[in-house]
């Protein structure tokens, strides 16, 4: 006979789980009691939201399913932002929540919340387990659902009596069979042939690659496909890293804060090959003007995404890696139109991203460029959300997939620091940096307690401008500089870090940047870098809301 809690821990071990991010409470005490003697590593965070983000960061950096654990009621509810963040970016996590005993469900008992109902819109699937013997099957299904097809979060709600009840150990199914859930991995050959015919006819083709390429581990196939045909590649925020930053075909990010040449290329291409991307509004701007001259091929594992926002000429439902491999094996034409690539090279030469001004002040672009120069792509960079996120996307040179981790769809401030903690446990072989703003770091700053307790060597690089920077930028540009509630009082982050026993440096000049970054790398533990940057620096170029992506402000004069 085994308790439900025992069955749960054994089920997690069968799924290969090595790390759980969690916070204990009354309804999960039986689970924590089993964890006490378990080989599973448990990281005690300081807030349940951080547990969900850490599981998310672990999943993105490793490609494996991340796991978080919280108690019922407020604990479970505190996971919701993290679960929604994972859902919007198709990240595989399994969230375990405690629940009041089954006999008290619906009674508004102490710390009861209908977490199954609350998370229904932001999970790929969720379970309320009422029979202890179901635990092994439910765990196996949850990991299968989270990690297959279009990946995403799954929640398992476990009432306390289900965890404490002892039952005869049930037979664990060897294979998951779910009626109605059969993701399509192999692209339809007729559709693949149609796509290849369009590619052969195109004079100005362009690849638009999203996070689906990274989720599918399809970077080698993407690079091979683009290189063989000589087709330029622009990536979404989530797709950064799927092709090296310095690859000659890489145009960088497109969209609201994309490069000018990427946005020009989208506007003038005659064939857009969308791969694992979803045509979201931050990418397309005014959708009616997005790729106006192009036929569109859309490859995605989720059929619901195809045609949702943009009319598609050739849809291909399937796993990106599989479809690209099929296309590569059938290619007949090699080499895109030279005139098209010549035009793009001209744009790249005359419309580059603007580097930091050389005026003796500390600009964020300089900080990111110096960090990129020192790390050479051999690090995991996690960001918060806002200006810090966009400067990092623009000015850090990413060379490998799964080394850029950020909240794209939900845009969750406070995500970066705990996600960086999770990323460390996925990639302990690499330095992990959290690039933050002074606003976003304060949303989960309590996690300094976590990194201090476990000596987790996450480096926290704060681009400190004493503003909620991106909102202030919009107020400057579109609200006549009326900075309504976006100015923040100065904070001594190094002193806060020291209170937790963490070392740090305040950096106020360009000359100090390189030595400070190197000092953080040489330190065996967490480290805070407080960069006091120019307060009203903006992220450019920028496409105003509702405009076409060719209508950028802060760019170079069109030539």
């Amino acid at each position: 006979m085994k308790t439900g809690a025992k069955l749960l821990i054994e089920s997690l071990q069968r799924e290969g789980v090595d790390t759980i991010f969690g916070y204990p409470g009354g309804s999960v005490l039986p689970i924590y009691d089993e964890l006490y003697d378990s080989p599973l590593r448990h990281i005690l965070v300081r807030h349940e939201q951080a547990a969900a983000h850490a599981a998310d960061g672990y999943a993105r950096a490793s490609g494996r399913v991340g796991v978080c654990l919280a108690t019922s009621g407020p604990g479970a509810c505190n996971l919701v932002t993290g679960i929604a963040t994972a859902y919007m970016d198709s990240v595989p996590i399994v969230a375990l929540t405690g629940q009041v005993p089954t006999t008290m469900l619906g009674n508004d008992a102490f710390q009861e919340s209908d977490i199954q109902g609350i998370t229904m819109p932001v999970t790929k699937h969720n379970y309320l387990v009422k029979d202890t013997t179901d635990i092994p099957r439910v765990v196996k299904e949850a990991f299968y659902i989270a990690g297959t097809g279009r990946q995403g979060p799954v929640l398992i709600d476990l009432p306390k009596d289900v965890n404490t009840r002892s039952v005869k150990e049930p037979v664990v199914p060897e294979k998951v069979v779910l009626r109605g859930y059969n993701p399509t991995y192999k692209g339809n050959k007729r559709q693949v042939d149609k796509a290849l015919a369009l590619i052969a006819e195109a004079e100005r083709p362009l690849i638009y690659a999203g996070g689906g390429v990274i989720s599918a581990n399809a970077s080698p196939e993407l690079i091979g496909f683009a290189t063989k045909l000589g087709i330029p590649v622009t990536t979404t925020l989530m797709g950064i890293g799927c092709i090296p930053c310095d690859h000659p075909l890489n145009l960088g990010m497109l969209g609201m804060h994309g490069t000018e040449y990427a946005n020009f290329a989208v506007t003038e291409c005659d064939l857009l090959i969308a791969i694992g991307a979803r045509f979201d509004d931050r990418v397309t701007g005014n959708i009616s003007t997005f790729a106006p001259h192009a036929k569109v091929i859309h490859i995605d594992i989720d059929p619901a995404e195809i045609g949702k926002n943009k009319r598609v000429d050739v849809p291909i439902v399937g796993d990106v890696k599989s479809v690209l491999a099929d296309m590569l094996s059938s290619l007949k034409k090699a080499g895109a139109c030279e005139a098209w690539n010549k035009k793009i090279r001209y744009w790249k030469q005359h419309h580059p991203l603007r580097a930091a001004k050389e005026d003796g002040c500390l600009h964020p672009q300089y900080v990111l460029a110096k960090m990129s120069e020192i790390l050479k792509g051999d690090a995991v960079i996690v960001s918060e959300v806002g200006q810090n996120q966009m400067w990092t996307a623009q000015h850090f040179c990413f060379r490998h997939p799964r080394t850029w981790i950020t909240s794209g769809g939900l845009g969750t401030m406070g995500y970066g620091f705990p996600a960086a903690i999770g990323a460390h446990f996925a990639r302990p072989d690499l330095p992990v940096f959290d690039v933050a703003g002074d606003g976003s770091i304060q949303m989960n700053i309590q996690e300094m307690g976590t990194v201090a307790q476990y000596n987790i060597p996450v480096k926290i690089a704060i681009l400190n401008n004493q503003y909620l920077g991106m909102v202030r930028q919009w107020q400057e540009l579109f609200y006549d500089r009326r900075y309504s509630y976006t100015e923040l009082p100065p904070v001594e982050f190094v002193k806060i870090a020291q209170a937790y026993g963490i070392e740090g440096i305040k950096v106020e000049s360009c000359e100090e940047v390189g030595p400070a970054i190197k000092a953080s790398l040489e330190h065996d533990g967490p480290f805070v870098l407080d960069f006091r940057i120019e307060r009203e620096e903006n992220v450019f170029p920028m496409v105003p809301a509702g405009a076409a992506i060719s209508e950028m402000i802060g760019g170079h004069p069109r030539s």
Side-chain angles (χ1 to χ4, degrees):
M1 301 288 281
K2 291 182 177 177
T3 65
K6 181 75 171 175
L7 290 174
L8 174 68
I9 298 302
E10 290 181 350
S11 298
L12 294 174
Q13 289 179 254
R14 277 194 294 273
E15 296 302 324
V17 174
D18 56 19
T19 307
I20 297 174
F21 304 93
Y23 200 97
S27 70
V28 288
L29 277 173
I31 298 173
Y32 272 85
D33 192 56
E34 284 297 334
L35 275 172
Y36 191 75
D37 295 321
S38 158
L40 297 181
R41 175 171 50 199
H42 177 275
I43 301 300
L44 175 64
V45 295
R46 297 301 186 268
H47 191 288
E48 291 90 348
Q49 181 184 346
H53 291 325
D56 177 310
Y58 176 95
R60 297 194 206 213
S62 68
R64 301 168 59 195
V65 178
V67 181
C68 58
L69 169 61
T71 192
S72 62
C77 289
N78 282 340
L79 292 178
V80 173
T81 298
I83 293 171
T85 301
Y87 182 76
M88 289 291 283
D89 290 343
S90 305
V91 178
I93 66 171
V94 168
L96 306 168
T97 51
Q99 185 55 278
V100 299
T102 53
T103 53
M104 301 179 74
L105 284 170
N107 288 355
D108 293 336
F110 177 68
Q111 291 195 332
E112 180 185 7
S113 65
D114 176 13
I115 196 63
Q116 186 187 27
I118 290 169
T119 59
M120 194 166 289
V122 294
T123 51
K124 191 173 174 185
H125 193 62
N126 61 20
Y127 296 88
L128 170 59
V129 183
K130 294 184 178 178
D131 186 335
T132 302
T133 59
D134 286 341
I135 288 177
R137 173 185 61 79
V138 166
V139 170
K140 193 172 186 66
E141 288 180 3
F143 276 77
Y144 176 71
I145 293 170
T148 57
R150 181 175 182 171
Q151 298 174 339
V154 177
L155 181 137
I156 306 174
D157 199 22
L158 295 151
K160 189 169 185 178
D161 58 328
V162 171
N163 294 328
T164 55
R165 190 179 299 131
S166 291
V167 297
K168 183 180 177 183
E169 186 170 4
V171 176
V172 182
E174 290 188 9
K175 186 178 178 183
V176 175
V177 178
L178 297 170
R179 194 170 68 175
Y181 180 71
N182 294 295
T184 299
Y185 292 98
K186 185 79 173 171
N188 182 283
K189 185 176 185 313
R190 184 175 297 177
Q191 294 300 97
V192 169
D193 290 343
K194 285 182 181 178
L196 292 172
L198 280 184
I199 292 168
E201 295 169 1
E203 295 183 352
R204 302 185 304 280
L206 177 68
I207 293 171
Y208 152 47
V213 175
I214 292 173
S215 296
N217 297 315
S219 292
E221 288 78 9
L222 174 80
I223 295 168
F225 180 75
T227 304
K228 189 166 184 178
L229 289 169
I231 300 178
V233 180
T234 181
T235 66
T236 67
L237 179 70
M238 306 308 300
I240 289 174
C242 70
I243 180 170
C245 58
D246 48 3
H247 192 290
L249 291 172
N250 188 0
L251 303 185
M253 185 173 68
L254 79 166
M256 179 171 280
H257 292 293
T259 63
E260 291 177 72
Y261 37 92
N263 287 349
F264 292 156
V266 171
T267 304
E268 296 198 14
C269 70
D270 66 354
L271 177 66
L272 187 69
I273 308 166
I275 305 175
R278 60 187 179 90
F279 295 88
D280 79 280
D281 59 294
R282 282 295 191 268
V283 161
T284 65
N286 182 347
I287 189 73
S288 66
T289 61
F290 184 75
H293 312 297
K295 291 187 175 180
V296 177
I297 298 167
H298 192 176
I299 306 168
D300 202 287
I301 198 162
D302 185 355
E305 284 298 339
I306 294 180
K308 186 174 79 175
N309 295 326
K310 176 75 176 174
R311 182 190 60 80
V312 173
D313 296 282
V314 179
I316 303 177
V317 177
D319 175 67
V320 165
K321 190 178 185 74
S322 169
V323 173
L324 284 176
D326 287 347
M327 294 177 81
L328 265 170
S329 66
S330 303
L331 284 177
K332 293 175 182 174
K333 177 189 173 185
C337 178
E338 177 52 29
W340 174 233
N341 279 321
K342 183 179 179 182
K343 191 170 193 177
I344 287 176
R345 286 196 294 272
Y346 176 85
W347 285 333
K348 291 179 82 168
Q349 181 181 355
H350 291 86
H351 298 267
L353 283 171
R354 293 186 186 276
K357 298 174 187 170
E358 296 182 2
D359 56 3
C361 299
L362 182 55
H363 295 276
Q365 298 92 336
Y366 180 84
V367 175
L368 271 306
K370 182 59 71 174
M371 189 181 293
S372 185
E373 175 188 318
I374 292 171
L375 294 171
K376 297 181 172 60
D378 294 325
V380 177
I381 307 298
V382 187
S383 86
E384 304 285 347
V385 167
Q387 288 183 315
N388 63 84
Q389 178 186 39
M390 292 300 136
W391 284 320
T392 309
Q394 290 180 337
H395 296 281
F396 191 93
C397 183
F398 293 92
R399 292 191 168 85
H400 309 289
R402 300 192 183 280
T403 57
W404 164 237
I405 294 174
T406 194
S407 170
L410 198 64
T412 306
M413 288 177 68
Y415 166 83
F417 187 20
I421 293 172
H424 163 73
F425 287 100
R427 294 301 307 271
D429 54 318
L430 291 177
V432 178
F433 277 74
D434 171 38
V435 179
D438 52 313
S440 53
I441 192 64
Q442 293 187 73
M443 285 197 168
N444 268 315
I445 199 168
Q446 77 285 342
E447 297 310 316
M448 284 190 182
T450 304
V451 295
Q453 179 180 352
Y454 298 99
N455 196 35
I456 299 168
V458 168
K459 316 304 178 187
I460 308 157
I462 303 169
L463 303 177
N464 186 349
N465 56 10
Q466 297 174 42
Y467 278 117
L468 299 175
M470 187 61 88
V471 184
R472 183 212 58 76
Q473 177 172 334
W474 280 61
Q475 290 173 333
E476 176 189 337
L477 297 174
F478 309 117
Y479 292 87
D480 297 326
R481 300 178 68 91
R482 289 161 54 84
Y483 295 165
S484 179
Y485 302 105
T486 46
E487 185 167 14
L488 300 174
V491 175
E492 293 293 338
F493 290 106
V494 172
K495 289 184 178 177
I496 292 177
Q498 288 169 345
Y500 281 99
I502 298 170
E503 292 193 24
I505 300 175
K506 183 162 67 176
V507 181
E508 298 179 287
S509 71
C510 293
E511 293 72 27
E512 298 173 279
V513 172
I517 294 171
K518 290 176 182 174
S520 74
L521 289 167
E522 290 165 1
H523 180 69
D524 182 24
F527 200 93
V528 168
L529 295 156
D530 183 1
F531 295 106
R532 300 301 177 101
I533 62 169
E534 277 297 288
R535 295 197 66 202
E536 297 193 39
E537 185 77 54
N538 287 330
V539 181
F540 287 130
M542 179 181 185
V543 177
I549 63 168
S550 58
E551 298 170 357
M552 292 165 275
I553 57 177
H556 301 269
R558 186 72 183 264
S559 53

